[in-house]
Amino acid sequence: MGLMLRYLTAGESHGPCLLTIIEGLPYGLTVDLEFVNGELRRRQGGYGRGARMKMEQDRVEIQSGVRNSKTLGSPLTLRIANNVHNSEELPPITKPRPGHADLAGAIKFGTPDARGVSERSSARETSARVAAGAVANAFLGLFGARAVGYVVELGGIAAKARAESAEEALRRRSASEFYALDSEQDAAWRARIDEDRSEGDTLGGIFEVCAWGLPPGLGSHAGWELKLDGALARALMSVQTVKAVETGLGIEAARRRGSQMHDEIVAGLGRTRNNAGGIEGGMTNGQPLVVRAACKPIATLRQPLRSVDLATGEEVRAAYERSDVCVVPAASVIGEAVVAFELARAFLDKFGGDTMEEVRERFDVYAERVARLSRSAEAGSR
Ligand SMILES: Cc1cc2nc3c(=O)[nH]c(=O)nc-3n(C[C@H](O)[C@H](O)[C@H](O)COP(=O)(O)O)c2cc1C
């Protein structure tokens, strides 16, 4: 019996390292560290990042669960070292930043110093999530599926491009310094960020994750915890700065009539369009899976907002320390990772076994059954 795929992250922003422990990977999966490291590098990039990103060059080291580059069916532990680990020396944060975890965390722990809260609420933790998601995405790739995240809107300016396949999305994305599918709007986005930076402000945006090549039937309608859209929403909503999540047309669906919303089913079990974003009843339906997440502007402002010093009770300006201006490109990397992980979990829930060989056999039997069903739906239409 295979375990449910899950992962745990540990580590603080200025502690010695970040750790990810992934449980439930089958025996015999090749772990491609170059791919994982490439995704970690992408997370650190994207126009609009601050000085911290130049201080860290994330690389993953395997601590357990692998022999001769293949998983052993035991927990896989990945470690990312922090080059700068001086958490003991950092001054307290007593002037909580509106929009950050500082105030709620300080109250929760009964301390005027939000430093300890900030050390963990910081998005540095997401490097561990990106590592786990990269392993998951590489796993999906072995079965012809791939999740790709890209920025679709920044500072209120939308990008237009769409892609028909993962390969096309990856090719197009690599040309944009914002990880968008088009580089045409890059100049406008850059100008917007530079303007905000010079004014000591920050800005948000929207990223989309599309997964191509997924089999239909991942997730389940049978129980609320099994619904894949619910799992994806939770995973995306838990990413720092994400304030809203949509599947398919999302909020726009509420404004349409049914006839303008739903995707008609045609011979061969294809669809006329994909307004549902590839998910119906909490299950993948064979169309590309499309989810979007909206990111708020980050909370640390060089021109800080009003706050209260928790040590003195005085009204002050919130704390400022070296910070990013716009993290939406990085958030798209994290979004891709957390989506890939949920998809791999749903995949292993359906096809899981002790070994990659068993997973492959179960997947192949199902894929053949689905192909037969759509062939007969094609034949029946003649
Ligand atoms: C990649 C990434 C980098 C971030 N960098 C910063 C930063 O430099 N300064 C900051 O104030 N917030 C930053 N954030 C956002 C905060 O971590 C986040 O807003 C905070 O933890 C509060 O959580 P919430 O946004 O989910 O409410 C970043 C978020 C992401 C995704």
Side-chain angles (χ1 to χ4, degrees), residues 56 59 75 84 94 106 138 140-141 154 159 175 218 227 342 344 369-370:
E56 302 287 355
R59 288 192 71 76
V84 183
T94 62
L140 290 170
L154 209 149
L218 299 186
K227 289 178 188 249
E342 293 310 310
R369 192 178 331 129
V370 172

Side-chain angles (χ1 to χ4, degrees), residues 183-206:
S183 52
E184 232 171 64
Q185 76 293 316
D186 280 15
W189 284 354
R190 206 178 309 118
R192 206 40 236 280
I193 290 179
D194 291 346
E195 188 188 323
D196 276 54
R197 194 200 306 273
S198 69
E199 290 170 10
D201 221 323
T202 58
L203 78 173
I206 302 174

Side-chain angles (χ1 to χ4, degrees), residues 43 49 97 99-101 121-123 126 237 239-243 296 298-300 322-324 327 330-331 334:
R43 192 200 71 94
R49 306 306 301 282
R97 294 159 293 179
H100 227 296
S121 66
S122 152
T126 60
M237 196 55 123
V239 174
Q240 290 84 335
T241 74
V242 169
K243 294 298 126 193
K296 73 184 183 188
I298 55 171
T300 308
R322 178 194 60 223
S323 181
D324 300 319
V327 299
I334 303 158

